[in-house]
């Protein structure tokens, strides 16, 4: 941002209006791990082929999901190399980014999930906010109810 005071004020105000409190810089950073994440949809081909290519490319972890999709995780420093190797091997991802993943998730009931989703929506609408990360664990049935 070109004006940190304005941004901090807007974020603090948004938190306050939605029942939250803004902590000090880095106060919850320990709860998140920076990871390179490369996601492949179920239709990306043979799961084993994608998984083997990811291992050969230097991925740290590969998760074969129940729905047939595959999630590849890489060290952020190796992310570009792993992504390029996967693309050269013919595996085009659905999404690829360096992100923050929560170490431990906190389950939310319907009311708190609704409040959090509203807060996140308002935070994402702020001009100077680029990404919002959360450790919320919202059950699929609650998400479906809130989206519907």
């Amino acid at each position: 941002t070109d004006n940190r005071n304005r941004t901090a004020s807007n974020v603090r105000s948004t938190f306050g209006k939605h029942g939250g409190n803004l902590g000090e810089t880095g106060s919850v950073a320990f709860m998140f791990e920076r990871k390179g994440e490369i996601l492949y949809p179920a239709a990306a081909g043979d799961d084993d082929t994608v998984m083997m290519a990811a291992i050969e490319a230097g991925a740290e972890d590969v998760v074969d999901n129940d729905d047939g999709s595959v999630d590849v995780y890489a060290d952020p420093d190796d992310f570009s190399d792993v992504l390029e190797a996967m693309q050269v091997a013919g595996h085009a991802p659905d999404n690829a980014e360096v992100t923050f993943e929560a170490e431990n998730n906190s389950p939310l009931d319907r009311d708190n999930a609704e409040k959090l989703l509203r807060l996140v929506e308002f935070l994402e609408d702020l001009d100077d906010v680029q990404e919002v990360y959360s450790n919320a664990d919202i059950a699929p049935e609650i998400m479906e109810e809130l989206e519907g």
Side-chain angles (χ1 to χ4, degrees):
T1 180
D2 58 351
N3 187 334
R4 296 189 103 179
N5 292 332
R6 178 194 70 223
T7 301
S9 175
N10 287 344
V11 170
R12 186 175 290 108
S13 172
T14 300
F15 266 90
K17 288 178 184 176
H18 294 90
N21 295 311
L22 186 62
E24 293 296 318
T25 300
S27 63
V28 295
F30 72 94
M31 295 171 52
F32 294 86
E33 180 182 1
R34 192 167 174 250
K35 285 187 171 187
E37 182 179 69
I38 307 169
L39 308 177
Y40 292 92
D46 180 31
D47 295 357
D48 292 334
T49 306
V50 173
M51 292 174 70
M52 290 306 297
I55 292 167
E56 290 173 13
E60 285 186 341
D61 193 15
V62 181
V63 178
D64 186 12
N65 298 306
D66 292 338
D67 65 358
S69 63
V70 177
D71 301 342
V72 177
Y73 297 99
D75 183 281
D77 296 332
D78 301 331
F79 174 74
S80 295
D81 295 335
V82 173
L83 177 59
E84 183 178 337
M86 292 298 290
Q87 290 171 329
V88 167
H91 303 291
D94 215 17
N95 187 39
E97 64 183 340
V98 175
T99 187
F100 287 92
E101 186 174 289
E103 293 286 331
N104 296 303
N105 290 321
S106 297
L108 296 180
D109 60 21
R110 187 196 183 288
D111 290 339
N112 286 321
E114 186 174 18
K115 289 177 188 176
L116 175 71
L117 293 175
R118 194 173 323 122
L119 171 63
V120 168
E121 184 178 329
F122 277 97
L123 286 170
E124 288 176 338
D125 286 344
L126 294 175
D127 291 338
D128 293 319
V129 173
Q130 295 174 354
E131 297 288 335
V132 177
Y133 300 97
S134 168
N135 68 336
D137 183 13
I138 302 172
E141 57 272 5
I142 293 175
M143 279 301 290
E144 191 174 297
E145 182 182 331
L146 293 173
E147 290 175 343

